[in-house]
C-alpha cells in the first residue's frame, strides 16, 4: 500500500514511485478466510521494490512450514 506525500526537499528520488508521484510504502498482509490484518510493516521509501520490502520486513522468517504467502510475481 502506497501513501502519497509531497515531494521531499532532500533525497526526493528515494520517494518517487511513479512519474511525478512521491510516497511511502507499507506492507500489509491479510488472512485468507478471515477478514483480519495479520502483518504490517513500514514505512518504506516509495522507490523500494516489493522484493526488498519482503526481505527487510522479515515476514518469511515468521511463516510455519504449512503456511504460504499469496502475492504478485514481483513479491
Amino acid at each position: 500500500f502506497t501513501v502519497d506525500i509531497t515531494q521531499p526537499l532532500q533525497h526526493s528520488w528515494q520517494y518517487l514511485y511513479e512519474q511525478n508521484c512521491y510516497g511511502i510504502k507499507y506492507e500489509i498482509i491479510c488472512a485468507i478466510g478471515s477478514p483480519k490484518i495479520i502483518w504490517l510493516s513500514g514505512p518504506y521509501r516509495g522507490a523500494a521494490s516489493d522484493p526488498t520490502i519482503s526481505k527487510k520486513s522479515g515476514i518469511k522468517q515468521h511463516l510455519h512450514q504449512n503456511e504460504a504467502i499469496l502475492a504478485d510475481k514481483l513479491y
Side-chain angles (χ1 to χ4, degrees), residues 3-71:
V3 178
D4 290 338
I5 60 172
T6 57
Q7 181 178 357
L9 297 176
Q10 297 179 344
H11 307 291
S12 62
W13 66 271
Q14 294 179 351
Y15 295 89
L16 185 67
Y17 70 94
E18 287 182 5
Q19 185 175 355
N20 299 321
C21 294
Y22 298 87
I24 52 176
K25 292 182 178 179
Y26 292 88
E27 177 184 57
I28 301 171
I29 298 177
C30 299
I32 295 175
S34 60
K36 62 181 178 179
I37 294 173
I38 59 171
W39 184 265
L40 175 65
S41 68
Y44 301 96
R45 294 178 178 140
S49 66
D50 288 350
T52 299
I53 291 172
S54 70
K55 288 177 187 173
K56 286 187 173 186
S57 75
I59 182 61
K60 294 177 184 178
Q61 298 170 1
H62 294 281
L63 294 177
H64 295 108
Q65 278 188 320
N66 61 343
E67 293 179 317
I69 296 175
L70 179 63

